Amino acid sequence: MSPARKKTTTRRTPARRPARRTAPPKKGAAVQLRLVAATVAAQSAPPIKDVAGLMAYAYALEAEASERYSEFADAMESHNNREVAELFRKLARIENMHAEHILEEMGWTHPPAPPTGGWRWEGLEGPETADYTDLHYLMQPYHALQIALHNEKRAEAFFKELVQKTPSGKVRTAAKQMADEETEHVRLVEEWLKRTPKPESDWAHDPDPPRWSD
Amino acid sequence: MTISAQPQAALAPQAFKSDYKPVWCPGCGDYSVLSSLTKAFALLELQPERIAVVSGIGCSSRIPAYTTCYGFHGVHGRALAAATGLKLARPELTVIAAGGDGDGYSIGGNHFLHACRRNVDMTYVVMDNHVYGMTKGQPSPTTEPDWDSKLSPGGTGMRAFNPLVIALAAGANFIARAFAGDPNTTAALIAEAISAPGFSFVEVLSPCVTFRPEQRDWKQMVRAAPVQWTDDAARAARRLMTDDGMNIGVLYKGSRAAYRTHVAKTSKRPADLEEEFRI
Ligand SMILES: Cc1ncc(C[n+]2csc(CCOP(=O)(O)OP(=O)(O)O)c2C)c(N)n1
Ligand code: SF4
Ligand SMILES: [Mg+2]
């Protein structure tokens, strides 16, 4: 277990020395939060027959995203990175609000059950769900918002693809509405990012690193 | 906890997560494995009081505490020994042994061989990060021979252990490889492993972002296994010997019947046995 738990998010210069590791050396791999898609699953947009089916997907996507942000908030709290914990908590609340709103709009008293065989996403999980490995104990609010932006953009693309591929008029209209909402979320997170200080290049420097070889 | 004989309502994955918040490093693959494990329990409509999660020592071995199931965080390398005893004594429980590559293949390597050979009906989930995470980054049996670090300058130069081939040769009845970055597939694989009779082994590639940060790249390297699982051990051996360790899915399903104790019920009480052993 890393000793990160006992630390606060103090950052200092000089920049971190690159760690030695096996070939191919990935310069600064430890400090890069590269938001890239995984390669394991590549499915196309799910087959959706009616508006209820579409909204069930929309609900699942928001609920899963909210749960993941809550887990991230817990992880950051355990490691004394309170600022980022708070931000993830806020993101979890926002996604949960979206999910609740869908339940309300549809008049559902319970979350919709997944279709037989489970939700079918293009990636490994719902398009708004952040990857567990995208975290770093010294990350800053800016990084958390980058993750959120990446996810909102993926959700936007998900609904836009459905608009393209759905023949039915009603489902298409509802998907278009969801895509527009996601476009608005993208804009809001972009605004939020503009107001958030950019991390310095040595943000991941830890004066007391968990890797004693650093 | 009391075990109820009444049929109970299916639970959500969250019901299998305890109130203890994991202390793993942010980004650690083990968070995802915890999520997959709880999803698998929910998929199978199990109840926490019918499950026991048994572990040894290591970051990954902390997992029992984060579930609401019965748990045993035991001695380093001995998860399988404890889990075997438990399953034989309480066959009605779903028994999961869980831990790391150090715990399972190094100090616990001997238990691993014999657990595969005995084929007791339980599931072994190994969170393999090719390193000893908890003790600050020493090479483990699955570490690549050229992994260069201050603790192993120039690499160990030793051939890496191939847990799936060993499991097959030793007699495991179900063998799968999963990737922590894909919690839904991992949940489905764990659920299938639990449902399969005998000793099921699920090796999960679970990145250690602190000591092996380059493992964040695994998400670009893994792929669904290009061929269906086989029940032919010779064919499975050839596949497992030649794959690059990045094929995800069920790789082997055997048909050996799970081990059961054949001992007739003894009339002896523990006190009688104590008497026999008195010096
Ligand atoms: C008998 C004994 N020997 C050595 C140790 C020290 N030790 C604790 S955890 C560990 C290795 C853990 O590695 P792994 O099982 O891969 O777990 P990870 O932390 O990587 O998840 C070792 C050697 C111990 N606790 N007990
Ligand atoms: S040291 Fe590695 S294995 Fe242990 S919690 Fe941190 S990332 Fe996970
Ligand atoms: Mg390990």
Side-chain angles (χ1 to χ4, degrees):
Chain A
M1 191 90 28
S2 103
R5 293 194 68 226
K6 67 181 192 296
K7 284 194 284 282
T8 58
T9 55
T10 324
R11 288 166 295 278
R12 270 190 230 157
T13 49
R16 182 181 171 280
R17 235 182 333 131
R20 292 196 307 157
R21 61 179 72 87
T22 40
K26 303 240 166 17
K27 236 176 130 191
V31 297
Q32 267 174 27
L33 299 179
R34 292 187 304 116
L35 305 172
V36 287
T39 48
V40 117
Q43 301 184 45
S44 50
I48 287 172
K49 285 191 227 101
D50 50 21
V51 174
L54 174 81
M55 297 316 278
Y57 263 91
Y59 175 86
L61 176 159
E62 303 287 357
E64 193 181 80
S66 170
E67 199 181 314
R68 186 61 47 86
Y69 285 138
S70 295
E71 286 181 81
F72 283 7
D74 289 343
M76 285 302 166
E77 229 161 62
S78 299
H79 288 74
N80 274 323
N81 189 338
R82 304 222 169 90
E83 223 182 340
V84 175
E86 218 170 277
L87 203 149
F88 277 132
R89 199 73 72 202
K90 203 176 209 169
L91 289 169
R93 273 199 302 271
I94 293 171
E95 300 304 350
N96 189 48
M97 243 166 50
H98 296 157
E100 295 285 326
H101 181 67
I102 292 169
L103 287 186
E104 213 173 280
E105 247 186 18
M106 298 303 291
W108 290 336
T109 48
H110 293 292
T116 330
W119 306 106
R120 202 173 120 182
W121 308 113
E122 204 171 317
L124 300 176
E125 296 183 273
E128 238 177 70
T129 305
D131 187 330
Y132 283 106
T133 54
D134 284 339
L135 296 193
H136 187 285
Y137 67 105
L138 293 177
M139 73 196 290
Q140 298 183 19
Y142 192 88
H143 298 118
L145 287 170
Q146 281 183 313
I147 291 176
L149 180 62
H150 176 70
N151 294 336
E152 295 299 340
K153 283 185 174 168
R154 288 191 303 150
E156 183 191 27
F158 172 79
F159 287 114
K160 279 189 171 166
E161 196 192 335
L162 280 176
V163 174
Q164 296 274 314
K165 292 196 171 158
T166 310
S168 147
K170 275 187 189 161
V171 176
R172 213 181 141 92
T173 311
K176 170 85 176 65
Q177 198 181 325
M178 295 308 297
D180 289 347
E181 279 182 25
E182 296 300 343
T183 307
E184 177 58 10
H185 298 163
V186 169
R187 194 189 63 76
L188 288 172
V189 180
E190 277 171 347
E191 288 295 314
W192 198 349
L193 261 169
K194 272 186 210 156
R195 298 191 303 269
T196 308
K198 267 194 179 164
E200 288 173 26
S201 58
D202 63 341
W203 64 269
H205 173 69
D206 185 341
D208 177 18
R211 298 158 61 100
W212 73 276
S213 50
D214 279 357
Chain B
M1 257 184 286
T2 49
I3 294 181
S4 149
Q6 299 292 319
Q8 286 169 288
L11 297 172
Q14 205 57 33
F16 296 92
K17 281 192 185 170
S18 74
D19 291 337
Y20 292 107
K21 299 295 171 207
V23 294
W24 292 312
C25 308
C28 177
D30 296 351
Y31 281 98
S32 174
V33 180
L34 172 64
S35 172
S36 302
L37 198 60
T38 60
K39 280 182 183 177
F41 295 155
L43 272 173
L44 296 173
E45 301 190 5
L46 299 175
Q47 302 288 328
E49 71 272 19
R50 313 287 297 191
I51 307 168
V53 185
V54 180
S55 71
I57 299 292
C59 298
S60 41
S61 291
R62 302 182 68 102
I63 207 161
Y66 304 138
T67 76
T68 50
C69 311
Y70 283 112
F72 185 72
H73 188 184
V75 186
H76 194 28
R78 271 61 188 169
L80 286 169
T84 302
L86 176 61
K87 181 67 190 180
L88 294 179
R90 295 288 305 274
E92 77 282 12
L93 292 179
T94 296
V95 175
I96 311 289
D101 41 316
D103 191 73
Y105 309 146
S106 212
I107 191 168
N110 185 32
H111 295 294
F112 177 53
L113 293 181
H114 294 287
C116 294
R117 181 177 72 83
R118 289 191 190 107
N119 201 32
V120 171
D121 189 15
M122 59 188 187
T123 298
Y124 186 33
V125 177
V126 176
M127 288 154 262
D128 192 349
N129 51 18
H130 303 178
V131 77
Y132 291 178
M134 178 166 264
T135 47
K136 298 178 85 58
Q138 297 85 354
S140 85
T142 49
T143 302
E144 304 79 346
D146 62 345
W147 184 61
D148 183 30
S149 77
K150 232 183 189 157
L151 295 170
S152 54
T156 61
M158 283 176 214
R159 178 193 166 111
F161 185 79
N162 187 334
L164 285 83
V165 176
I166 304 288
L168 180 75
N173 213 28
F174 176 101
I175 298 172
R177 189 187 287 117
F179 168 53
D182 183 356
N184 293 331
T185 305
T186 303
L189 289 171
I190 294 176
E192 201 173 340
I194 294 172
S195 308
F199 186 80
S200 298
F201 170 49
V202 184
E203 150 102 351
V204 188
L205 298 171
S206 180
C208 171
V209 294
T210 298
F211 297 106
R212 304 294 312 260
E214 70 281 15
Q215 290 174 349
R216 287 182 199 267
D217 290 348
W218 275 351
K219 69 176 160 185
Q220 267 81 56
M221 295 160 74
V222 293
R223 67 187 89 75
V227 285
Q228 255 259 51
W229 57 269
T230 174
D231 57 1
D232 177 340
R235 182 173 296 169
R238 200 162 48 247
R239 282 184 192 162
L240 293 174
M241 288 292 285
T242 51
D243 89 357
D244 63 353
M246 292 290 149
N247 286 344
I248 302 303
V250 179
L251 303 166
Y252 173 74
K253 271 195 216 181
S255 53
R256 280 208 304 144
Y259 173 82
R260 286 193 204 294
T261 41
H262 303 291
V263 184
K265 217 170 173 188
T266 172
S267 56
K268 285 189 175 153
R269 297 167 304 136
D272 299 332
L273 292 172
E274 267 173 36
E275 193 55 40
E276 277 179 27
F277 281 98
R278 193 187 296 277
I279 300 171

